[in-house]
Amino acid sequence: MGGAHGMVAQLARFAGALRSCGVRVGLSDEIDAAAALTLVDLLDRAEVHRALRIAFKLPRDAWETFDKLFAEYWDGRRAPEHPALRQTQPRDRRGPAQWRWDGERVRLAVPDEPQEPQGEQPGYSSEAVLRRKPFDQFSESELAAMERLLARLARKLATRRSRRRVPAVARGIVDLRRSFRRALASDGDFLRLARRARPLDQASLVVLYDTSGSMDAYTRVLLAFAFALRRVMKRVEIFAFNTTLIRVTRMIAPAGIPQSLSRLAAGVPDWSGGTRIGRCLTEFVALYKQTLIDRNTTVVCVSDGLDHGDTELLESSMRALHERAGRIIWLNPLLGDSRYRPEAAGMRAALPFVDHFGSAHNLKALEGLLRFVP
Amino acid sequence: MNEEIRSMQAAMERLGYIAEPAIATAVYLAKEMQKPLLVEGDAGVGKTEIAKVLARMLSTDLVRLQCYEGLDTQTALYEWNYQRQLLRLKIAEREARDPAKLEELIFGREYLLERPLLRAITRREGPAVLLIDEIDRADEGFEAFLLEVLSDFQITIPELGTIRAEHVPLVVLTSNRSREIGDALRRRCLYLYVEHPGFEKELRILQNKVPGVNEQLARTITRFVQRLRARELRKLPGVAETLDWAQALVRLHRDALDAETVSATLGCLLKDEHDIKATGGEAVDELLAYASAQE
């Protein structure tokens, strides 16, 4: 390692590798890690491992990545270039880009000529006939209408009263501290009492997105829905799933939406592949139920319920979500077709736990959603 | 292993806390680097206990701040003793004193009620251990406020001025992960994730905390609970539950486990109706067979 300098350089490379694998490690964490290394026995591999995990502040779900990289970087078995670094290159598998950043917001650009589907058609071709694509024919004015609608939806979601109390006029409990300070101005007489009341609190929203092939037509426009929500609500978490579950919230930073989109395309593997809803939801429940879901959370699941996997898994994870979440809304684009019956096994398993089952194939359907959000 | 970490581990053990190397390392680093330690893990794995043992080990005060939704600075930091101030004002009316002096008087230290955070930084006799329990229950606003206190260890009271920490307290924060802790706070701390203990550790904790239990029964209990944790349960039993169960068995004067006893006392381990139903006769038999088998 070559002295203290070599150690710091090695640490920086290691932190960089962690970052490229999606583990959030900041400069301050690196400084902490360097400080921790001065305090432990550097010859004791297990102790260095423990100290770094503590100083880098790694949550439980990042341990696996950490352990793997630790073995590579600190045991001298480092590969010349880490595969994860290559993976961060954008790989656009979505065909011609449909999203345009117009300087203010992301818009869905409608191609002049209808695009022929390219490459292999995703699975479930027998259902293909059901996939009319009204969202594909969006005009500028319709997009603007959708954004207005989303703003309304978001405001409606923000209805819970907080338990904290903030200064209020003429209602709420008496705030002695501020009353007292006011009284000082009038020689100790309480002419007017100050009060505190509970402000409105923002509800939180978790959006689970199916990005599989059978949902391809809807995915992009419904992601716009999620973007808009993220702009107006503070606590929105967005996950994409198909065969694996990806937390995409942090990939779509409000500051740089054009970059977000390419990052999204790169970060979600198997875009337009098949689905394993049950497995992905089970993973979601295991990793995030505790931290992201509570009574004030509305879970919105956007999927057609066409599952390659095990419906038992889907059922048990839906039950777990139902117990903890305030409300579960399932949006199924296929529901827009009058010939559709929710007979897919996955859909049937999930339905008993869904508070509102709605379609999401066009604006009118999304508008109907407002009725179910108090 | 670093000598000091080893002695830290031994000292914690002498006080009845069986610490894995990871826990001892984290405590040692937090102490040396003077950084708060954020401890996460399932309920009942002994997060709060770390702070308690630490306070005893350093023979200092444990100042505890239990967080809850709606916790505000008046409960966490300080509050003026309004009643007393008011009373003083009324008395002063008759004395016709100089108002400036009067104000100085009623905003003096003896009219200030110290709440945990202020108490922790004003301890004179050396650093206190400050336990901020279940930080995930407080709201984000409080977390942001805490960040300020934890970075500067000074508190500004408008009427009094800034109070600086006499000694920087050793801070332990615990979280049950019912909400994700903000990045800023996490960054400010060192982080320790405590898992359910392995067989050897749990057995030692059990023998340490429940002396009345015989060696054979302790082994069986531990194997039973370890196996139980591998099942699909909604709420896994923690060490606290194991100890409760062992204590219950000792009270019932059981020297060995049988299916009937287990079924009758399962409520000590499992605190969820669904879990209890899912651990019916067959499951208990299977667990018992596993637990009673010789290693």
Side-chain angles (χ1 to χ4, degrees), chain B residues 232-267:
Chain B
E232 284 271 322
L233 294 174
R234 291 187 192 179
K235 294 210 165 53
L236 293 182
V239 183
E241 274 78 27
T242 313
L243 296 178
D244 279 352
W245 193 40
Q247 226 123 33
L249 293 172
V250 170
R251 290 281 155 81
L252 293 170
H253 305 290
R254 299 295 148 116
D255 294 330
L257 282 181
D258 56 64
E260 199 188 331
T261 315
V262 170
S263 301
T265 53
L266 207 56

mmCIF file of all heavy atoms in Angstrom, chain B residues 232-267:
data_model
loop_
_atom_site.group_PDB
_atom_site.id
_atom_site.type_symbol
_atom_site.label_atom_id
_atom_site.label_comp_id
_atom_site.label_asym_id
_atom_site.label_seq_id
_atom_site.Cartn_x
_atom_site.Cartn_y
_atom_site.Cartn_z
ATOM 1 N N GLU B 232 -40.555 -18.025 8.454
ATOM 2 C CA GLU B 232 -41.193 -16.835 7.898
ATOM 3 C C GLU B 232 -42.098 -16.227 8.951
ATOM 4 O O GLU B 232 -43.225 -16.671 9.153
ATOM 5 C CB GLU B 232 -42.035 -17.226 6.679
ATOM 6 C CG GLU B 232 -41.250 -17.499 5.441
ATOM 7 C CD GLU B 232 -41.046 -16.228 4.624
ATOM 8 O OE1 GLU B 232 -41.977 -15.414 4.568
ATOM 9 O OE2 GLU B 232 -39.949 -16.057 4.061
ATOM 10 N N LEU B 233 -41.614 -15.218 9.656
ATOM 11 C CA LEU B 233 -42.430 -14.594 10.686
ATOM 12 C C LEU B 233 -42.546 -13.108 10.398
ATOM 13 O O LEU B 233 -41.704 -12.516 9.746
ATOM 14 C CB LEU B 233 -41.798 -14.794 12.065
ATOM 15 C CG LEU B 233 -41.737 -16.228 12.586
ATOM 16 C CD1 LEU B 233 -40.969 -16.269 13.880
ATOM 17 C CD2 LEU B 233 -43.135 -16.798 12.777
ATOM 18 N N ARG B 234 -43.604 -12.518 10.916
ATOM 19 C CA ARG B 234 -43.754 -11.077 10.716
ATOM 20 C C ARG B 234 -42.872 -10.307 11.678
ATOM 21 O O ARG B 234 -42.282 -9.314 11.337
ATOM 22 C CB ARG B 234 -45.200 -10.667 10.955
ATOM 23 C CG ARG B 234 -46.102 -11.190 9.877
ATOM 24 C CD ARG B 234 -47.470 -10.633 10.045
ATOM 25 N NE ARG B 234 -48.371 -11.357 9.178
ATOM 26 C CZ ARG B 234 -49.654 -11.116 9.106
ATOM 27 N NH1 ARG B 234 -50.194 -10.197 9.866
ATOM 28 N NH2 ARG B 234 -50.408 -11.794 8.287
ATOM 29 N N LYS B 235 -42.849 -10.781 12.928
ATOM 30 C CA LYS B 235 -41.996 -10.102 13.900
ATOM 31 C C LYS B 235 -41.074 -11.137 14.527
ATOM 32 O O LYS B 235 -41.514 -11.988 15.287
ATOM 33 C CB LYS B 235 -42.858 -9.456 14.996
ATOM 34 C CG LYS B 235 -43.718 -8.330 14.476
ATOM 35 C CD LYS B 235 -43.964 -7.286 15.548
ATOM 36 C CE LYS B 235 -44.502 -5.998 14.974
ATOM 37 N NZ LYS B 235 -45.695 -6.159 14.135
ATOM 38 N N LEU B 236 -39.812 -11.049 14.178
ATOM 39 C CA LEU B 236 -38.872 -12.020 14.717
ATOM 40 C C LEU B 236 -38.633 -11.748 16.196
ATOM 41 O O LEU B 236 -38.536 -10.597 16.615
ATOM 42 C CB LEU B 236 -37.539 -11.910 13.977
ATOM 43 C CG LEU B 236 -37.535 -12.306 12.507
ATOM 44 C CD1 LEU B 236 -36.141 -12.182 11.934
ATOM 45 C CD2 LEU B 236 -38.052 -13.717 12.315
ATOM 46 N N PRO B 237 -38.554 -12.802 17.004
ATOM 47 C CA PRO B 237 -38.261 -12.586 18.424
ATOM 48 C C PRO B 237 -36.827 -12.089 18.605
ATOM 49 O O PRO B 237 -35.911 -12.612 17.981
ATOM 50 C CB PRO B 237 -38.453 -13.971 19.043
ATOM 51 C CG PRO B 237 -38.298 -14.930 17.922
ATOM 52 C CD PRO B 237 -38.751 -14.223 16.680
ATOM 53 N N GLY B 238 -36.654 -11.075 19.447
ATOM 54 C CA GLY B 238 -35.313 -10.562 19.721
ATOM 55 C C GLY B 238 -34.715 -11.240 20.939
ATOM 56 O O GLY B 238 -35.321 -12.145 21.516
ATOM 57 N N VAL B 239 -33.537 -10.793 21.325
ATOM 58 C CA VAL B 239 -32.898 -11.361 22.514
ATOM 59 C C VAL B 239 -33.773 -11.102 23.744
ATOM 60 O O VAL B 239 -33.900 -11.946 24.631
ATOM 61 C CB VAL B 239 -31.507 -10.740 22.746
ATOM 62 C CG1 VAL B 239 -30.840 -11.408 23.931
ATOM 63 C CG2 VAL B 239 -30.648 -10.898 21.524
ATOM 64 N N ALA B 240 -34.388 -9.918 23.769
ATOM 65 C CA ALA B 240 -35.251 -9.570 24.893
ATOM 66 C C ALA B 240 -36.338 -10.632 25.080
ATOM 67 O O ALA B 240 -36.650 -11.040 26.202
ATOM 68 C CB ALA B 240 -35.882 -8.207 24.656
ATOM 69 N N GLU B 241 -36.886 -11.110 23.964
ATOM 70 C CA GLU B 241 -37.935 -12.134 24.040
ATOM 71 C C GLU B 241 -37.370 -13.461 24.548
ATOM 72 O O GLU B 241 -38.003 -14.162 25.323
ATOM 73 C CB GLU B 241 -38.592 -12.327 22.673
ATOM 74 C CG GLU B 241 -39.728 -11.365 22.374
ATOM 75 C CD GLU B 241 -39.240 -9.982 21.962
ATOM 76 O OE1 GLU B 241 -38.121 -9.891 21.415
ATOM 77 O OE2 GLU B 241 -39.953 -8.996 22.215
ATOM 78 N N THR B 242 -36.170 -13.804 24.077
ATOM 79 C CA THR B 242 -35.535 -15.034 24.545
ATOM 80 C C THR B 242 -35.384 -15.001 26.066
ATOM 81 O O THR B 242 -35.676 -15.991 26.756
ATOM 82 C CB THR B 242 -34.128 -15.195 23.919
ATOM 83 O OG1 THR B 242 -34.227 -14.936 22.530
ATOM 84 C CG2 THR B 242 -33.588 -16.579 24.145
ATOM 85 N N LEU B 243 -34.931 -13.854 26.560
ATOM 86 C CA LEU B 243 -34.724 -13.727 28.009
ATOM 87 C C LEU B 243 -36.054 -13.832 28.758
ATOM 88 O O LEU B 243 -36.146 -14.509 29.783
ATOM 89 C CB LEU B 243 -34.036 -12.403 28.330
ATOM 90 C CG LEU B 243 -32.614 -12.253 27.766
ATOM 91 C CD1 LEU B 243 -32.044 -10.891 28.086
ATOM 92 C CD2 LEU B 243 -31.707 -13.352 28.287
ATOM 93 N N ASP B 244 -37.085 -13.162 28.228
ATOM 94 C CA ASP B 244 -38.415 -13.254 28.843
ATOM 95 C C ASP B 244 -38.867 -14.709 28.935
ATOM 96 O O ASP B 244 -39.384 -15.166 29.946
ATOM 97 C CB ASP B 244 -39.452 -12.498 27.991
ATOM 98 C CG ASP B 244 -39.409 -11.011 28.255
ATOM 99 O OD1 ASP B 244 -38.695 -10.607 29.189
ATOM 100 O OD2 ASP B 244 -40.072 -10.266 27.517
ATOM 101 N N TRP B 245 -38.652 -15.405 27.828
ATOM 102 C CA TRP B 245 -39.119 -16.778 27.750
ATOM 103 C C TRP B 245 -38.379 -17.649 28.759
ATOM 104 O O TRP B 245 -38.983 -18.427 29.503
ATOM 105 C CB TRP B 245 -38.919 -17.301 26.324
ATOM 106 C CG TRP B 245 -39.627 -18.584 26.038
ATOM 107 C CD1 TRP B 245 -40.874 -18.939 26.459
ATOM 108 C CD2 TRP B 245 -39.123 -19.675 25.275
ATOM 109 N NE1 TRP B 245 -41.194 -20.190 25.988
ATOM 110 C CE2 TRP B 245 -40.132 -20.664 25.260
ATOM 111 C CE3 TRP B 245 -37.932 -19.918 24.597
ATOM 112 C CZ2 TRP B 245 -39.973 -21.871 24.579
ATOM 113 C CZ3 TRP B 245 -37.785 -21.122 23.916
ATOM 114 C CH2 TRP B 245 -38.796 -22.091 23.915
ATOM 115 N N ALA B 246 -37.054 -17.472 28.786
ATOM 116 C CA ALA B 246 -36.247 -18.256 29.726
ATOM 117 C C ALA B 246 -36.698 -17.980 31.161
ATOM 118 O O ALA B 246 -36.840 -18.894 31.980
ATOM 119 C CB ALA B 246 -34.770 -17.918 29.548
ATOM 120 N N GLN B 247 -36.952 -16.708 31.447
ATOM 121 C CA GLN B 247 -37.386 -16.339 32.784
ATOM 122 C C GLN B 247 -38.731 -17.003 33.121
ATOM 123 O O GLN B 247 -38.919 -17.518 34.224
ATOM 124 C CB GLN B 247 -37.543 -14.822 32.872
ATOM 125 C CG GLN B 247 -36.933 -14.226 34.105
ATOM 126 C CD GLN B 247 -35.908 -13.162 33.755
ATOM 127 O OE1 GLN B 247 -36.075 -12.468 32.764
ATOM 128 N NE2 GLN B 247 -34.868 -13.039 34.557
ATOM 129 N N ALA B 248 -39.631 -16.992 32.133
ATOM 130 C CA ALA B 248 -40.934 -17.621 32.333
ATOM 131 C C ALA B 248 -40.770 -19.104 32.635
ATOM 132 O O ALA B 248 -41.407 -19.651 33.539
ATOM 133 C CB ALA B 248 -41.803 -17.422 31.088
ATOM 134 N N LEU B 249 -39.872 -19.763 31.894
ATOM 135 C CA LEU B 249 -39.662 -21.197 32.092
ATOM 136 C C LEU B 249 -39.069 -21.475 33.473
ATOM 137 O O LEU B 249 -39.422 -22.461 34.126
ATOM 138 C CB LEU B 249 -38.757 -21.754 30.997
ATOM 139 C CG LEU B 249 -39.375 -21.735 29.595
ATOM 140 C CD1 LEU B 249 -38.341 -22.120 28.544
ATOM 141 C CD2 LEU B 249 -40.588 -22.661 29.509
ATOM 142 N N VAL B 250 -38.184 -20.581 33.905
ATOM 143 C CA VAL B 250 -37.597 -20.758 35.235
ATOM 144 C C VAL B 250 -38.679 -20.617 36.302
ATOM 145 O O VAL B 250 -38.771 -21.407 37.235
ATOM 146 C CB VAL B 250 -36.452 -19.741 35.464
ATOM 147 C CG1 VAL B 250 -36.007 -19.738 36.916
ATOM 148 C CG2 VAL B 250 -35.275 -20.079 34.559
ATOM 149 N N ARG B 251 -39.521 -19.624 36.136
ATOM 150 C CA ARG B 251 -40.621 -19.420 37.085
ATOM 151 C C ARG B 251 -41.552 -20.618 37.138
ATOM 152 O O ARG B 251 -42.104 -20.950 38.170
ATOM 153 C CB ARG B 251 -41.462 -18.199 36.694
ATOM 154 C CG ARG B 251 -40.799 -16.877 36.882
ATOM 155 C CD ARG B 251 -40.838 -16.451 38.345
ATOM 156 N NE ARG B 251 -39.765 -15.529 38.653
ATOM 157 C CZ ARG B 251 -39.810 -14.234 38.387
ATOM 158 N NH1 ARG B 251 -40.885 -13.716 37.842
ATOM 159 N NH2 ARG B 251 -38.801 -13.464 38.669
ATOM 160 N N LEU B 252 -41.741 -21.251 35.968
ATOM 161 C CA LEU B 252 -42.644 -22.405 35.906
ATOM 162 C C LEU B 252 -41.933 -23.683 36.350
ATOM 163 O O LEU B 252 -42.506 -24.763 36.280
ATOM 164 C CB LEU B 252 -43.168 -22.582 34.478
ATOM 165 C CG LEU B 252 -44.097 -21.470 33.968
ATOM 166 C CD1 LEU B 252 -44.343 -21.631 32.473
ATOM 167 C CD2 LEU B 252 -45.419 -21.467 34.720
ATOM 168 N N HIS B 253 -40.666 -23.555 36.764
ATOM 169 C CA HIS B 253 -39.856 -24.685 37.214
ATOM 170 C C HIS B 253 -39.758 -25.776 36.172
ATOM 171 O O HIS B 253 -39.942 -26.962 36.456
ATOM 172 C CB HIS B 253 -40.413 -25.273 38.525
ATOM 173 C CG HIS B 253 -40.532 -24.239 39.601
ATOM 174 N ND1 HIS B 253 -39.446 -23.670 40.217
ATOM 175 C CD2 HIS B 253 -41.624 -23.647 40.138
ATOM 176 C CE1 HIS B 253 -39.862 -22.784 41.098
ATOM 177 N NE2 HIS B 253 -41.180 -22.731 41.072
ATOM 178 N N ARG B 254 -39.520 -25.381 34.917
ATOM 179 C CA ARG B 254 -39.327 -26.381 33.877
ATOM 180 C C ARG B 254 -37.833 -26.595 33.685
ATOM 181 O O ARG B 254 -37.079 -25.630 33.590
ATOM 182 C CB ARG B 254 -39.928 -25.921 32.544
ATOM 183 C CG ARG B 254 -41.413 -25.673 32.577
ATOM 184 C CD ARG B 254 -42.156 -26.969 32.838
ATOM 185 N NE ARG B 254 -43.358 -26.671 33.599
ATOM 186 C CZ ARG B 254 -44.595 -26.857 33.150
ATOM 187 N NH1 ARG B 254 -44.795 -27.372 31.965
ATOM 188 N NH2 ARG B 254 -45.630 -26.568 33.894
ATOM 189 N N ASP B 255 -37.428 -27.864 33.634
ATOM 190 C CA ASP B 255 -36.017 -28.156 33.407
ATOM 191 C C ASP B 255 -35.765 -28.532 31.959
ATOM 192 O O ASP B 255 -34.636 -28.596 31.507
ATOM 193 C CB ASP B 255 -35.544 -29.299 34.306
ATOM 194 C CG ASP B 255 -35.583 -28.860 35.764
ATOM 195 O OD1 ASP B 255 -35.404 -27.649 35.998
ATOM 196 O OD2 ASP B 255 -35.819 -29.707 36.634
ATOM 197 N N ALA B 256 -36.852 -28.855 31.261
ATOM 198 C CA ALA B 256 -36.705 -29.232 29.863
ATOM 199 C C ALA B 256 -37.922 -28.717 29.105
ATOM 200 O O ALA B 256 -38.930 -28.363 29.708
ATOM 201 C CB ALA B 256 -36.600 -30.745 29.738
ATOM 202 N N LEU B 257 -37.792 -28.680 27.797
ATOM 203 C CA LEU B 257 -38.899 -28.195 26.983
ATOM 204 C C LEU B 257 -39.744 -29.359 26.493
ATOM 205 O O LEU B 257 -39.219 -30.385 26.079
ATOM 206 C CB LEU B 257 -38.349 -27.447 25.767
ATOM 207 C CG LEU B 257 -37.841 -26.023 25.975
ATOM 208 C CD1 LEU B 257 -37.377 -25.456 24.650
ATOM 209 C CD2 LEU B 257 -38.928 -25.155 26.566
ATOM 210 N N ASP B 258 -41.063 -29.220 26.555
ATOM 211 C CA ASP B 258 -41.921 -30.161 25.857
ATOM 212 C C ASP B 258 -42.976 -29.367 25.092
ATOM 213 O O ASP B 258 -43.138 -28.164 25.312
ATOM 214 C CB ASP B 258 -42.566 -31.141 26.839
ATOM 215 C CG ASP B 258 -43.334 -30.416 27.919
ATOM 216 O OD1 ASP B 258 -44.323 -29.741 27.585
ATOM 217 O OD2 ASP B 258 -42.932 -30.497 29.105
ATOM 218 N N ALA B 259 -43.670 -30.059 24.205
ATOM 219 C CA ALA B 259 -44.585 -29.378 23.284
ATOM 220 C C ALA B 259 -45.634 -28.564 24.037
ATOM 221 O O ALA B 259 -45.968 -27.442 23.658
ATOM 222 C CB ALA B 259 -45.261 -30.406 22.376
ATOM 223 N N GLU B 260 -46.114 -29.139 25.137
ATOM 224 C CA GLU B 260 -47.186 -28.471 25.881
ATOM 225 C C GLU B 260 -46.694 -27.147 26.476
ATOM 226 O O GLU B 260 -47.340 -26.107 26.342
ATOM 227 C CB GLU B 260 -47.648 -29.402 27.002
ATOM 228 C CG GLU B 260 -49.009 -29.061 27.551
ATOM 229 C CD GLU B 260 -49.321 -29.905 28.781
ATOM 230 O OE1 GLU B 260 -48.814 -31.045 28.860
ATOM 231 O OE2 GLU B 260 -50.043 -29.403 29.651
ATOM 232 N N THR B 261 -45.532 -27.211 27.115
ATOM 233 C CA THR B 261 -44.963 -25.999 27.715
ATOM 234 C C THR B 261 -44.725 -24.935 26.657
ATOM 235 O O THR B 261 -45.050 -23.767 26.852
ATOM 236 C CB THR B 261 -43.620 -26.319 28.400
ATOM 237 O OG1 THR B 261 -43.784 -27.515 29.151
ATOM 238 C CG2 THR B 261 -43.189 -25.200 29.300
ATOM 239 N N VAL B 262 -44.156 -25.386 25.533
ATOM 240 C CA VAL B 262 -43.850 -24.423 24.474
ATOM 241 C C VAL B 262 -45.125 -23.729 24.013
ATOM 242 O O VAL B 262 -45.189 -22.499 23.933
ATOM 243 C CB VAL B 262 -43.147 -25.116 23.289
ATOM 244 C CG1 VAL B 262 -43.047 -24.178 22.107
ATOM 245 C CG2 VAL B 262 -41.761 -25.580 23.699
ATOM 246 N N SER B 263 -46.166 -24.514 23.734
ATOM 247 C CA SER B 263 -47.405 -23.913 23.246
ATOM 248 C C SER B 263 -47.979 -22.937 24.261
ATOM 249 O O SER B 263 -48.511 -21.887 23.895
ATOM 250 C CB SER B 263 -48.437 -25.005 22.947
ATOM 251 O OG SER B 263 -47.923 -25.883 21.988
ATOM 252 N N ALA B 264 -47.866 -23.279 25.542
ATOM 253 C CA ALA B 264 -48.447 -22.426 26.573
ATOM 254 C C ALA B 264 -47.685 -21.125 26.749
ATOM 255 O O ALA B 264 -48.248 -20.114 27.135
ATOM 256 C CB ALA B 264 -48.494 -23.185 27.899
ATOM 257 N N THR B 265 -46.387 -21.173 26.454
ATOM 258 C CA THR B 265 -45.566 -19.980 26.723
ATOM 259 C C THR B 265 -45.102 -19.281 25.456
ATOM 260 O O THR B 265 -44.278 -18.380 25.508
ATOM 261 C CB THR B 265 -44.314 -20.365 27.535
ATOM 262 O OG1 THR B 265 -43.648 -21.426 26.848
ATOM 263 C CG2 THR B 265 -44.663 -20.797 28.932
ATOM 264 N N LEU B 266 -45.661 -19.692 24.312
ATOM 265 C CA LEU B 266 -45.202 -19.133 23.046
ATOM 266 C C LEU B 266 -45.414 -17.621 22.984
ATOM 267 O O LEU B 266 -44.719 -16.901 22.269
ATOM 268 C CB LEU B 266 -45.944 -19.823 21.893
ATOM 269 C CG LEU B 266 -45.221 -19.871 20.549
ATOM 270 C CD1 LEU B 266 -43.876 -20.527 20.680
ATOM 271 C CD2 LEU B 266 -46.070 -20.577 19.520
ATOM 272 N N GLY B 267 -46.370 -17.146 23.755
ATOM 273 C CA GLY B 267 -46.646 -15.708 23.791
ATOM 274 C C GLY B 267 -45.475 -14.863 24.266
ATOM 275 O O GLY B 267 -45.424 -13.671 24.007
#
